[in-house]
């Protein structure tokens, strides 16, 4: 693989747009699930900080 090809390892097309998904090492099948899990974890951390501080 050349350096130019290494930048295109995780290019996705959706709705006519081409975008780079980010890390190919994600444990999630899609970005939406990853975003929801991140929001839930952020909410849990925020509640924990609010209750403990």
């Amino acid at each position: 693989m050349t350096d130019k090809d290494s930048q295109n390892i995780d290019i996705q097309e959706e709705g006519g747009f081409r975008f780079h998904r980010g890390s190919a090492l994600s444990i999630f099948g899609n970005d939406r699930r990853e975003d929801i899990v991140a929001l839930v974890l952020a909410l849990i951390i925020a509640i924990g900080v609010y209750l403990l501080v």
Side-chain angles (χ1 to χ4, degrees), residues 30-50:
N30 60 29
D31 289 337
R32 187 166 306 209
R33 184 174 294 149
E34 184 176 1
D35 292 343
I36 290 171
V37 169
L39 286 171
V40 168
L41 290 176
L43 179 63
I44 291 170
I45 291 170
I47 290 172
V49 168
Y50 179 75

Side-chain angles (χ1 to χ4, degrees), residues 5-41:
D5 292 336
S6 68
Q7 296 298 316
N8 296 329
I9 195 167
D10 203 16
I11 296 289
Q12 293 187 353
E13 291 189 33
E14 201 172 287
F17 295 101
R18 288 185 71 188
F19 62 94
H20 188 273
R21 185 176 175 275
S23 174
L25 301 175
S26 178
I27 62 172
F28 299 96
N30 60 29
D31 289 337
R32 187 166 306 209
R33 184 174 294 149
E34 184 176 1
D35 292 343
I36 290 171
V37 169
L39 286 171
V40 168
L41 290 176

